[in-house]
Amino acid sequence: MATKRGALIIFEGLDRIGKTTQSKLLFEYLSNECGILCERLAFPDRSTQIGSLIDAYLQRKIEFNDHTIHLLFSANRWECIDSMRTKLLQGYTLIVDRYAYSGVAFSQAKGLDKLWCQSCDIGLLKPDLVLYFHREKQSNCLLYTGDERYETKQFQEKVEFYFEQFRSSSHQWKDINVINKDNTNMRDKESIQNEIRLYVKDCLEGIKTNHIEELWKEN
């Protein structure tokens, strides 16, 4: 009997909103409590030569124009596609912190054309589930300031606008509102994780074939 392929699960959203913490919690849950084969990845993958250039750019050590850095981010995803496909077909579920949607949203926030940005990633592996971490617009309880190039409140709000366009146009996107009902504080980690697990359970159960679709490409 052929091995059932794993799921490609993407965590998307603004910086410093809890994606990394929750993706690690999901990995531990699936691996340790459910006995599911899985791996966790994060983009950019700073361990590769391309990733090291991106890392230096984000830390303001080198400069690239906006089109060049977009292409480097895209290339960083493409250099992982063969190993990702192999793992999925071996039955591994991949938990990925950021993907092509971030590439497009961040570059659009700098004024680049959406269709051009997307064209660089046409044919990547299409996710089975995108968990979109967001906050209510009126909430001001998130901190955006950090050491890296994009970690400013003004820029993150621009990125958020373009993320919202993806959110409204795909049934594979599931909302994870990280702010409590009073819009004053972050929800506790446990309640967010429990919500994520429900979406992931439905996703895993919904995979019926080993076919992997391609991103932004009609099949």
Side-chain angles (χ1 to χ4, degrees), residues 36-114:
I36 293 175
L37 293 173
C38 64
E39 288 191 5
R40 182 184 169 275
L41 298 80
F43 287 112
D45 177 355
R46 305 187 192 212
S47 68
T48 71
Q49 287 186 322
I50 293 172
S52 67
L53 291 174
I54 295 171
D55 182 59
Y57 170 81
L58 291 174
Q59 296 187 51
R60 300 185 178 88
K61 295 178 180 178
I62 57 175
E63 295 295 327
F64 294 111
N65 68 43
D66 292 339
H67 287 83
T68 301
I69 192 61
H70 181 86
L71 290 169
L72 286 172
F73 272 106
S74 178
N76 189 231
R77 292 183 285 272
W78 276 107
E79 65 182 340
C80 297
I81 189 172
D82 291 338
S83 62
M84 290 174 66
R85 180 185 288 109
T86 297
K87 285 292 185 182
L88 287 170
L89 293 176
Q90 288 175 341
Y92 283 82
T93 284
L94 301 183
I95 300 167
V96 183
D97 189 345
R98 292 205 181 282
Y99 200 51
Y101 309 101
S102 281
V104 175
F106 276 72
S107 289
Q108 277 191 280
K110 294 189 286 184
L112 300 192
D113 177 72
K114 179 180 181 179

Side-chain angles (χ1 to χ4, degrees), residues 4 7 128-129 174 195-208:
K4 180 181 177 181
D128 297 293
L129 173 65
K174 304 300 181 183
E195 182 180 357
I196 288 170
R197 291 176 185 178
L198 292 175
Y199 288 131
V200 170
K201 179 177 182 291
D202 289 343
C203 173
L204 295 174
E205 291 175 351
I207 295 177
K208 304 301 182 183

Side-chain angles (χ1 to χ4, degrees), residues 11 14-23 133 178 186 192:
F11 283 64
L14 302 179
D15 289 334
R16 298 175 174 267
I17 202 169
K19 300 183 308 299
T20 299
T21 297
Q22 290 295 333
S23 65
F133 284 58
V178 301
M186 293 278 286
I192 294 174

Side-chain angles (χ1 to χ4, degrees), residues 158-172:
K158 289 182 180 179
V159 172
E160 184 177 32
F161 172 80
Y162 294 107
F163 266 134
E164 291 293 321
Q165 296 181 358
F166 282 123
R167 174 191 182 190
S168 62
S169 63
S170 175
H171 71 278
Q172 289 157 323

Side-chain angles (χ1 to χ4, degrees), residues 5 8 78 81-82 85 88 99-101 118-128 170-172 209-219:
R5 77 166 176 87
L8 178 57
W78 276 107
I81 189 172
D82 291 338
R85 180 185 288 109
L88 287 170
Y99 200 51
Y101 309 101
Q118 285 184 296
S119 70
C120 304
D121 289 312
I122 291 174
L124 285 178
L125 306 179
K126 184 177 180 180
D128 297 293
S170 175
H171 71 278
Q172 289 157 323
T209 74
N210 281 356
H211 176 65
I212 303 172
E213 294 185 14
E214 296 179 312
L215 184 63
W216 296 323
K217 193 172 183 180
E218 294 185 7
N219 292 278

